[in-house]
Amino acid sequence: MYPTLLTDPAKAAWIKSTAAELAAFGEEHRGELDIANRANKFPRELYRELGRLGYLGPLVPVDFGGLGGGVAEYTVISEEVGRHGLVSGQIAAQGQRWLLDWGTDEQKQQWLRGIATGEVVFSESISEKNAGSSFKAMKSTAVRDGGDWVITGSKTHINLGADSHVTLFYAMAPEGLTSFLVDMTLPGIRTHVTRAIGLRLIRTADVEFDAVRVPDAARLGPVGGGLQTFLSTFNISRLGNASELIGLGRRALELGLRYASERAVGEGVVTDFQGIKWMVADAWTALQAASLARDDAALAHERGEDIALRTTTAKRLAITAADQASEASFSLVGGHGLYVDTPYTDILNDIKVLKVAGGSTEIMRNFIAQRVLKDAGHEGLS
Ligand SMILES: Cc1cc2nc3c(=O)[nH]c(=O)nc-3n(C[C@H](O)[C@H](O)[C@H](O)COP(=O)(O)OP(=O)(O)OC[C@H]3O[C@@H](n4cnc5c(N)ncnc54)[C@H](O)[C@@H]3O)c2cc1C
């Protein structure tokens, strides 16, 4: 919906054509997307096709095969991806941000164009069995051996872990957390596909590194600078999550309304009931509030302002809005929606995953509270 972005005439035309093109893509490929989602398969060809259309490289300069856009363009694409149940390019966008912020010329030459065009699939290997919300418990290690690094460790929940050509692997070096761009064909790497309940088009995997040797040229950012590299995609990740959640919520509401406005119950149809109308009104209101907060964060990002509180607030609002819209959709469609492999349950599951992946709801609330308390002069009391 992009309430604020649409007031900019230069952006409005692009938003309109992007939304129309992605809607048409979803309609044309609905069958293939549904089959892949339910079979927990990464639809590589459709992903490439999205790349060819320019939707996987929103942040990458045109010279490198990208769209040459900014965060606002990225949020539009992410919302439409959620709205039409397409393959998410969120991980690719994070990869772009990492490379643009920290990559050497050689690393950019090697990976950026491929990631932006969908020819190269990127993944991020951060979480471990005992290290999710907190990095302190991370057990993966990187030790120097001559001019190389030898990396060992096990990662879990990695989107596209088994499908990617390159992963950004976080490990503890003697100097602290450090990140490495690792070619997934190197010896010592094993992956095992896992089955999350949602976002299965970018299925998850466990990724195991057993003494994987990489040159120092594979290191992204400074030795011990892993937290800095991580934080550079924090806002992108939250805005992408927020936008996909808003898109999923809109889809739930749109599908539910389409069904319910034709579903005869008693003398009328489902949407005649006042109780149902109020649910629709509340869900729509929540989606609008989340969209406004998301647009505000995207525009502040383009102005170069500090946006961490704004992006976190946007994700927090988007979680509530998506939940509310999904809940409304089940009331709109009744028993018809309560079967596996319906769009309503797919949307519900995707929302559940986005409430945890990329920073959980609780972590969003902690961050917002810390910032609000700090601004009120209560630092240290939280
Ligand atoms: C489908 C899916 C895809 C994912 N994709 C990736 C990926 O591509 N790459 C990657 O590296 N990781 C990925 N993740 C991992 C994700 O980032 C973590 O699951 C998330 O950070 C939470 O970590 P955890 O699951 O270990 O939960 P934990 O950290 O163990 O937390 C458990 C619960 O406690 C809550 N909690 C934790 N700390 C606090 C606190 N301080 N205050 C209040 N509550 C707290 C959490 O919110 C959660 O509800 C993915 C996860 C899922 C489910």
Side-chain angles (χ1 to χ4, degrees), residues 91 94 98 122-135 138 155-161 167-168 170 194-200 202-205 230 349 352-366 370:
I91 311 287
Q94 282 182 255
W98 266 308
F122 174 84
S123 64
E124 51 189 81
S125 297
I126 305 170
S127 302
E128 299 179 2
K129 254 194 183 69
N130 296 312
S133 306
S134 165
F135 284 161
M138 193 177 285
K155 301 291 181 180
T156 190
H157 304 303
I158 309 306
N159 283 117
L160 298 172
T167 198
L168 186 67
Y170 278 75
T194 49
R195 281 184 77 90
I197 59 167
L199 286 197
R200 284 171 301 194
I202 50 168
R203 63 186 183 175
T204 49
F230 173 77
N349 289 339
K352 286 270 178 219
V353 166
L354 279 169
K355 283 170 76 168
V356 174
S360 69
T361 312
E362 291 76 21
I363 297 300
M364 298 301 115
R365 295 169 83 191
N366 282 351
Q370 275 159 16

Side-chain angles (χ1 to χ4, degrees), residues 326-327 329-331 333-345 348:
S326 167
E327 192 59 25
S329 77
F330 284 102
S331 294
V333 303
H336 164 72
L338 290 170
Y339 286 84
V340 287
D341 297 347
T342 68
Y344 311 100
T345 49
L348 177 73

Side-chain angles (χ1 to χ4, degrees), residues 7 20 23 28-29 42 60 102 107-108 112-113 139 151 205 225 233-234 237 265-267 313 322 328 348 354:
T7 59
E28 185 185 346
H29 298 290
F42 171 53
V60 171
W102 300 98
Q107 287 168 336
K108 287 181 193 158
L112 203 48
R113 178 178 296 279
K139 293 273 184 297
I151 308 174
T233 65
F234 163 105
S237 155
V265 180
E267 301 291 293
T313 308
L348 177 73
L354 279 169

Side-chain angles (χ1 to χ4, degrees), residues 288-307:
Q288 181 75 354
S291 302
L292 278 163
R294 185 272 321 272
D295 285 5
D296 173 53
L299 292 173
H301 188 287
E302 291 188 355
R303 294 193 299 269
E305 295 171 16
D306 172 14
I307 57 161

Side-chain angles (χ1 to χ4, degrees), residues 71-108:
V71 167
E73 283 80 2
Y74 170 57
T75 63
V76 171
I77 294 168
S78 300
E79 180 171 326
E80 296 306 315
V81 161
R83 185 154 167 235
H84 302 293
L86 310 181
V87 203
S88 173
Q90 275 199 49
I91 311 287
Q94 282 182 255
Q96 291 154 37
R97 187 74 275 146
W98 266 308
L99 277 158
L100 290 167
D101 288 351
W102 300 98
T104 60
D105 286 346
E106 193 187 315
Q107 287 168 336
K108 287 181 193 158

